[in-house]
Amino acid sequence: MAVIPVAIAGAPYDVRIETGLLERAGEHCRPFLRKDRVAIVTDENVAASWRQKVEASFSAVGVASDWLILPAGEGTKSWEQLARVVDWLLAQEVERKDNIIALGGGVIGDLTGFAASMVKRGCGFIQIPTTLLAQVDSSVGGKTAINTAAGKNLVGAFHQPALVLADPLALDTLPLRDTRAGYAEVIKYGLIDDAPFFEWCEANGAKLLAGDSSARETAIAKSVAAKARIVAADEKETAGIRALLNLGHTFGHALEAETGFSDRLLHGEGVGLGMVLAARFSARQGLMSGQDAARIGAHIGGIGLPASIKALGLDCNGRRLAGHMLHDKKMDAGTLPFLLMRGIGETFLAKDVDLNEVAAFLDDEMTR
Ligand code: GLY
């Protein structure tokens, strides 16, 4: 089993990664539970695949589990479902020192973590992420949120979990498209500051997507270790370090907004294409070599993620896409920080990017 410590000052915890961990969830959580009952929040799909096994693992260590099973999908990250989770946790008489459990993908983790941050002014929680995206990104680092009419993830809190359990076997019950989208976040860690890991991705990405458990464990452990290092250095994203995790997200967010945050472009797919665009824009600005940018595009496209805007068939221009960026939550006093690259593994935060140049670049990309 890989155990990755996340050394957040005042709230350190471990991420444990192992194939088959879901069936041993009870045993791993037991030392974090003060009572012989635990509250578990999940969604319908995850419950159908895993409830029986997870429930049995808690029974085996003398813990009864109470389940709140929510509708699956992004729509669940809402005020309405947040109120439902909070009311349910209060009805379960959850106390501040208890740890509740979020079992699911990013939607369940973000929503349950946010509910935990407010119940009794903050109770504990354990993340058991069941999608690749949640395992390598959203379950680690304590960002929790819901979506509102004003946009995605605009209301939330930093609230760190007490433990994270990641089981690569959970990916077997998911559509390949979801795992492929989550894999974009794995590649991201190579591009941020670890060129050898990007090379590892080039050599092993296809194997991982085909279900190889050793490749999955390595990818999750390397990604979590990278994220742990970054969030320990800059938990609240104030020092320009955690912002590196947004590589590909500004271009990606604009494309997600244009496609209505729908199944037309999943978040991870937007991030993958966003990283290709960040690389190509960096090359156009003379910051990185065209060869490196082409290599990034070749890997992302090669494993089946969208790698060009044209493939999305959008009916808009670059100015409209750049306009979506103005509503990005990373806007800072009227300027939008961009993550650009000097090479593979050399991402940096650029604060002086001209949105007119971005719009012109995007116009050219639409026809490429
Ligand atoms: N997903 C970006 C972050 O956790 O900061």
Side-chain angles (χ1 to χ4, degrees):
M1 178 166 65
V3 180
I4 314 288
V6 186
I8 301 233
Y13 54 96
D14 284 343
V15 181
R16 300 180 190 168
I17 303 151
E18 191 177 45
T19 301
L21 207 46
L22 274 171
E23 292 195 24
R24 296 189 290 283
E27 182 192 314
H28 284 271
C29 293
R30 188 68 190 100
F32 293 80
L33 306 176
R34 300 151 67 235
K35 302 174 185 158
D36 54 11
R37 292 202 85 81
V38 66
I40 301 182
V41 181
T42 191
D43 73 26
E44 286 157 352
N45 293 344
V46 178
S49 301
W50 294 104
R51 176 175 178 166
Q52 235 180 351
K53 285 188 171 128
V54 171
E55 198 161 29
S57 82
F58 279 95
S59 301
V61 294
V63 175
S65 46
D66 298 305
W67 292 69
L68 178 62
I69 300 174
L70 302 174
E74 191 71 26
T76 291
K77 269 175 66 168
S78 64
W79 285 115
E80 190 195 351
Q81 297 295 341
L82 177 66
R84 185 172 164 197
V85 178
V86 168
D87 284 339
W88 182 76
L89 291 171
L90 293 173
Q92 301 302 308
E93 299 183 349
V94 164
E95 296 170 1
R96 202 181 263 180
K97 287 186 182 161
D98 289 337
N99 281 302
I100 61 161
I101 292 181
L103 171 68
V107 167
I108 290 296
D110 284 9
L111 175 74
T112 308
F114 192 23
S117 79
M118 55 182 75
V119 164
K120 311 272 168 87
R121 296 210 177 92
C123 71
F125 81 119
I126 292 171
Q127 288 267 23
I128 308 186
T130 56
T131 62
L132 186 57
L133 191 131
Q135 291 175 345
V136 301
D137 182 27
S138 61
S139 67
V140 180
K143 278 190 181 174
T144 72
I146 56 164
N147 306 326
T148 67
K152 280 185 71 172
N153 294 330
L154 294 182
V155 178
F158 286 98
H159 190 55
Q160 301 294 339
L163 174 71
V164 182
L165 301 179
D167 181 353
L169 214 53
L171 310 184
D172 285 348
T173 54
L174 293 173
L176 176 60
R177 185 180 175 196
D178 286 350
T179 301
R180 195 183 273 134
Y183 175 68
E185 300 276 2
V186 174
I187 299 172
K188 184 183 80 178
Y189 295 107
L191 295 181
I192 289 175
D193 64 357
D194 190 347
F197 183 52
F198 181 74
E199 273 169 40
W200 183 92
C201 288
E202 289 177 312
N204 295 282
K207 234 174 16 178
L208 179 159
L209 292 172
D212 184 285
S213 45
S214 152
R216 285 176 172 179
E217 281 179 18
T218 304
I220 297 167
K222 285 288 283 183
S223 302
V224 168
K227 180 143 189 190
R229 188 169 28 82
I230 290 171
V231 298
D234 181 17
E235 181 191 0
K236 303 263 167 77
E237 205 168 314
T238 48
I241 301 169
R242 187 164 184 162
L244 294 172
L245 295 172
N246 294 323
L247 175 63
H249 284 59
T250 302
F251 284 110
H253 176 88
L255 296 166
E256 280 184 88
E258 186 60 29
T259 47
F261 294 100
S262 68
D263 280 359
R264 269 180 79 192
L265 187 72
L266 302 180
H267 173 70
E269 293 171 341
V271 170
L273 178 48
M275 293 190 297
V276 174
L277 295 172
R280 291 181 55 77
F281 184 69
S282 300
R284 177 165 158 138
Q285 300 293 100
L287 293 164
M288 97 189 284
S289 73
Q291 229 173 359
D292 274 353
R295 200 173 140 196
I296 293 167
H299 181 49
I300 290 178
I303 50 102
L305 282 165
S308 82
I309 304 189
K310 204 174 167 195
L312 299 182
L314 299 180
D315 183 20
C316 71
N317 59 20
R319 185 151 298 282
R320 184 175 157 89
L321 282 179
H324 290 304
M325 295 175 181
L326 295 173
H327 304 293
D328 197 295
K329 66 178 171 307
K330 295 179 288 298
M331 280 295 284
D332 180 13
T335 64
L336 183 57
F338 262 85
L339 278 310
L340 300 180
M341 285 172 259
R342 295 198 178 89
I344 289 172
E346 294 177 66
T347 295
F348 70 100
L349 190 62
K351 295 203 168 170
D352 52 357
V353 173
D354 180 347
L355 271 189
N356 292 318
E357 282 178 30
V358 174
F361 162 72
L362 289 170
D363 273 335
D364 292 347
E365 289 292 310
M366 305 269 197
T367 52
R368 182 187 142 241

